[in-house]
């Protein structure tokens, strides 16, 4: 399963944990979940209006920014295969591509 910046929506940390738990529930053992998230090194982190829980609104869009400990917490019952930094867009946006697998 692949989700590009889906988890960055203006969801609370609790909602993100529930979403990732549901992904894990539906994947078979050995199933892979690859997702991208904007991280706290991004230029828009702590810019604009803060909504708490690492959610920041800039240009009319609110995003949840991910500290590394949240990435690790979301992968606790998974095998965390990779966390790779990359950039995209004109700012550029700073993201992590996270690959995690349901243990067999």
């Amino acid at each position: 399963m692949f989700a590009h910046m889906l988890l960055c929506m203006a969801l609370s940390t609790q909602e993100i944990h529930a979403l990732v738990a549901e992904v894990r529930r539906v994947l078979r053992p050995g199933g892979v979940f690859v997702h991208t998230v904007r991280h706290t090194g991004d230029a828009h982190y702590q810019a604009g209006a803060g909504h708490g829980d690492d959610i920041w609104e800039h240009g009319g869009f609110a995003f949840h920014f991910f500290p590394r400990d949240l990435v690790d917490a979301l992968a606790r019952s998974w095998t965390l295969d990779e966390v790779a930094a990359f950039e995209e867009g004109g700012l550029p946006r700073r993201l992590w591509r996270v690959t995690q697998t349901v243990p067999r």
Side-chain angles (χ1 to χ4, degrees):
M1 173 179 264
F2 178 71
H4 180 59
M5 294 197 339
L6 172 69
L7 302 181
C8 294
M9 303 304 286
L11 302 169
S12 70
T13 298
Q14 182 179 0
E15 290 168 323
I16 293 167
H17 275 280
L19 193 153
V20 171
E22 182 63 10
V23 170
R24 190 182 189 295
R25 186 189 70 76
V26 300
L27 286 178
R28 295 180 177 158
V32 177
F33 180 36
V34 178
H35 58 94
T36 61
V37 295
R38 291 175 80 173
H39 62 70
T40 54
D42 187 275
H44 284 156
Y45 178 64
Q46 295 183 331
H51 295 274
D53 201 20
D54 280 328
I55 298 171
W56 293 87
E57 183 177 343
H58 188 272
F61 296 95
F63 295 96
H64 195 123
F65 292 87
F66 283 61
R68 177 57 196 255
D69 64 335
L70 178 54
V71 170
D72 293 338
L74 291 169
R76 277 203 185 107
S77 65
W78 302 69
T79 300
L80 183 57
D81 302 306
E82 179 182 39
V83 179
F86 72 100
E87 297 180 347
E88 85 174 11
L91 282 176
R93 290 180 194 90
R94 292 197 172 98
L95 299 102
W96 282 317
R97 183 185 65 248
V98 181
T99 306
Q100 52 195 70
T101 305
V102 178
R104 294 186 182 269

